[in-house]
Amino acid sequence: MTVHYAADPSATGPAVFPAGAAWLTLSAALADQTPVIADREDLLVSIAPGAGGGTACFYPARALIEINGDHLGVDPATVDPADIGDRARYAPTWGALVHECGHARHSVWDPPPGTPAGVAGAADLLEEPRMEAAQVRRRPDDRHWLRACARAIVAADLHLFADPATAPQMTRRDAATTATLLVGRADAGILTRAEVAALVDVARDVVGAKDYGRLERVWRAALRVADDDADTMIDLGRQWCGIVGVDPDTGRPDPGTTPGSAGAPAPPGGVGVPSVLAGVVAAVLDGVAANAAREVPPLDPAAVAAAATGREKAAADAARRVAKRVFGRGGVRDGRTSLRGTRKPTDGERMAARVLGRALDTAGVRERVAVRTGSEMPPGRVRMRGVRAAEAQRAAGAVVTAEQFTRVTRRVVPVPPLRLGVACDVSGTMGSVRDHVASAAWVLAEAVHHTRVPAQAATVIFGHHVRPLTGPGDRPPVVTQFDADDNWEDIPGAVDAVDGVLGLSRPGAARLLVVISDGDFRPVPRRDGQDRIDRLRATGCAVLWLTTHTDDTPLAGVSVHLLTDPATTATAIGRAATAALRAAAH
């Protein structure tokens, strides 16, 4: 019942060979793409004006896909099928190729010998939505291309536009056929229920609500049939014939079947006048084609990756510029976000730095890894397979390369470096933690000089501006104190500053960003800050958010720790740092 799939395994078809060099080149280029689409290496493609029986056709006996070049719509010499981004220019033709590749991959069942022609034809009809459902389960992006070619493929199957005399009429068979091809595709996930809603109403009226429901169950059952289950497909085809009332042997309506049913009148004017059903089908196909043309086609993975790389490079460059501005000159020197002097570190802070340094040493310890290697010479354990291979090489007069011994050595894997950035909010609500954060910044900067782990730490405060307290490699002799009376929070600038100076977005180290804030940000800083946090997390950087109250509002996706006692700020940061290092080390 379909015209673009030669179900008869012996069918060869009236092949139309490309007549010009551009068509020959395009045919070969399309064939190069079929192994990925059809998961087959043996397919040939021929595209030329007039080929494919008017649209496209697959001939299993010859492993040949023919496509009508009349519908290409562009100069064949300009088409490069390997360019994914260019396929939208000739979407219906590419969709036809995908459709026929779907037949080549999934339509592998053959009717058993002796199957009545009408039953086989009904099974072939059910194969259309079944095959497309199987194709998009395997390759979801192909849905767009199958939608793009639906108008041409289905219209050819229904002889919709060739001649009003051959277009669907208001009969049970035609209504059931159109519903199977179009509503079946909606159930397969290719079309949408809204796109076929008008056809459902007409087909149900012609076939009858009860029989329409039975037909629906048949084509839905076909969607679940395996590619090679011929018996089930033939059984469903036989059920389809019985419901519709067609002769299983010929596929024609049984004698006495009326043009319509359930009160549906025959088309006025008789055969040769477009029917209501044909008009609805044409409207549905036109709507699908228009919707598909407006949809964004699947993107080229290479182009997507290149764009992502470009965005990441731009973000990294911007972060480095911010870091240079903040750490290179100590930040802006006027306005809010002010520092308020320095003090000498206490004995407790000095001890805390040494304790954290030892903790980082312990977290960075890595067990020796056993590595098994082969050798042509001892020492080591004899491998009999290697000995026999060596004897065979000697007998053949070849150079002995067989590894006759194995040995186990234990190596210590290098400790990963640690990059730790801290950003503290200095708005008016954060006054309770300012002194403790100043202390923690000094402890962290000092601790990295008491550990054998290659570590770097930097701390900034952010309000109207971003100012550094400590930078990578710093060993400050004093604790820098600051005020907390700003009414603005430049969280995106703070994240960029520590990322740019430490490389928190670059893999190759244990990376941790600690933000100390109540999260009470204005909409723009909150949005931009969330973007920065999401980017860091996507690269594998851990983000810890320290809050002081249960009703604080941290950004999304971060690990939250409640500071019930602000004096434990340095301890909380140290634990997070050792945990990050331990995770990277093991």
Side-chain angles (χ1 to χ4, degrees), residues 389-401:
E391 291 174 348
Q393 289 174 336
R394 292 191 191 95
V399 176
V400 176
T401 59

Side-chain angles (χ1 to χ4, degrees), residues 409-490:
T409 58
R410 298 187 179 275
R411 301 175 181 174
V412 177
V413 181
V415 176
L418 172 66
R419 304 173 193 156
L420 172 60
V422 180
C424 180
D425 176 5
V426 292
S427 59
T429 57
M430 299 298 296
S432 62
V433 299
R434 64 183 183 184
D435 292 339
H436 303 289
V437 172
S439 173
W442 185 90
V443 169
L444 293 176
E446 180 69 13
V448 299
H449 295 280
H450 289 282
T451 179
R452 290 169 293 178
V453 174
Q456 288 184 315
T459 302
V460 299
I461 57 174
F462 63 93
H464 278 273
H465 307 292
V466 179
R467 297 189 190 278
L469 296 184
T470 61
D474 288 352
R475 193 171 186 178
V478 293
V479 176
T480 301
Q481 298 177 298
F482 56 90
D483 292 322
D485 55 4
D486 284 25
N487 58 1
W488 183 264
E489 302 83 13
D490 186 11

Side-chain angles (χ1 to χ4, degrees), residues 61-94:
R62 300 165 56 194
L64 172 65
I65 294 173
E66 280 196 358
I67 302 173
N68 187 358
D70 289 331
H71 306 307
L72 182 62
V74 298
D75 183 354
T78 67
V79 175
D80 179 11
D83 184 355
I84 298 177
D86 189 48
R87 293 172 184 172
R89 287 197 305 139
Y90 50 95
T93 297
W94 183 261

Side-chain angles (χ1 to χ4, degrees), residues 89-173:
R89 287 197 305 139
Y90 50 95
T93 297
W94 183 261
L97 176 69
V98 170
H99 180 90
E100 302 308 334
C101 283
H103 276 305
R105 174 63 177 83
H106 297 288
S107 299
V108 298
W109 61 270
D110 293 322
T115 301
V119 172
D124 290 341
L125 187 69
L126 294 167
E127 175 66 11
E128 291 298 299
R130 189 208 73 83
M131 174 276 296
E132 290 197 355
Q135 181 73 6
V136 296
R137 281 197 296 268
R138 186 170 57 88
R139 288 171 49 88
D141 282 352
D142 283 348
R143 176 180 182 267
H144 174 80
W145 307 114
L146 293 175
R147 286 172 57 79
C149 74
R151 185 180 187 277
I153 293 291
V154 176
D157 285 341
L158 298 175
H159 307 284
L160 184 63
F161 302 120
D163 184 351
T166 61
Q169 303 295 319
M170 300 292 281
T171 65
R172 290 174 61 87
R173 185 183 67 170

Side-chain angles (χ1 to χ4, degrees), residues 346-386:
T346 65
D347 291 341
E349 289 168 340
R350 296 182 187 279
M351 180 177 294
R354 290 192 293 270
V355 169
L356 177 55
R358 288 194 298 270
L360 293 176
D361 279 345
T362 302
V365 171
R366 309 191 78 172
E367 295 182 358
R368 292 192 300 168
V369 178
V371 179
R372 187 181 299 275
T373 58
S375 174
E376 302 171 19
M377 302 294 292
R381 184 174 181 178
V382 177
R383 296 177 64 248
M384 293 308 300
R385 179 179 298 178

